[in-house]
Amino acid sequence: MAILVTGGAGYIGAHTVVELLNEGKEVVILDNFYNSKPEVLDAIRKITNKDFKFYEINYLDREKLEKIFEENQIDSVMNFAGYKAVGESVLKPLEYYENNVSGCIVLLETMKKY
């Protein structure tokens, strides 16, 4: 059984993934690199000497999110895919609501389905 970590290439998500892998957990990472970099994934592998599955998607994409659940035995989910920059959130409030609220709803509905 695997743990899905959304936003797993971000600062908090990546540190969480390192700890999970070091504890011997199977991890599946989802990230769209909105506020992170692909190089983080290589750093996680280098730090832990362990591999993991990775999907580059936005968790608002229900069809692709469901594919992750179909291809993996997801036991639990840790959601770090929320946008968090205060200044940007003031400039783009609807984008933040869509990602943080609607994205979480899509994730929760998918979790319930699977």
Side-chain angles (χ1 to χ4, degrees), residues 3 7 16 26 44 46 54 57 67 76 97 100-101 107:
I3 300 169
T16 301
E26 180 184 352
I44 293 170
K46 185 176 180 180
F54 171 74
I57 72 160
K67 184 178 180 191
S76 54
Y97 293 140
N100 295 356
V101 177
L107 177 61

Side-chain angles (χ1 to χ4, degrees), residues 65 85 92 95:
L65 185 61
K92 303 176 180 179
E95 289 179 33

Side-chain angles (χ1 to χ4, degrees), residues 26-111:
E26 180 184 352
V27 176
V28 176
I29 298 175
L30 171 164
D31 206 299
N32 67 352
F33 300 121
Y34 178 80
N35 195 20
S36 60
K37 294 182 173 23
E39 297 82 30
V40 171
L41 303 175
D42 292 330
I44 293 170
R45 288 182 183 101
K46 185 176 180 180
I47 291 166
T48 64
N49 275 333
K50 296 182 180 166
D51 203 7
F52 48 83
K53 286 188 179 180
F54 171 74
Y55 295 85
E56 184 176 352
I57 72 160
N58 186 319
Y59 75 155
L60 281 160
D61 188 329
R62 186 183 305 268
E63 184 176 311
K64 289 181 181 176
L65 185 61
E66 286 190 7
K67 184 178 180 191
I68 292 172
F69 277 82
E70 290 168 0
E71 292 179 356
N72 301 278
Q73 291 187 341
I74 304 296
D75 181 54
S76 54
V77 176
M78 300 179 82
N79 181 19
F80 301 110
Y83 295 164
K84 64 193 179 325
V86 175
E88 185 181 63
S89 72
V90 173
L91 297 173
K92 303 176 180 179
L94 294 179
E95 289 179 33
Y96 272 64
Y97 293 140
E98 180 180 22
N99 184 77
N100 295 356
V101 177
S102 299
C104 189
I105 289 170
V106 170
L107 177 61
L108 290 168
E109 289 173 343
T110 305
M111 290 166 60

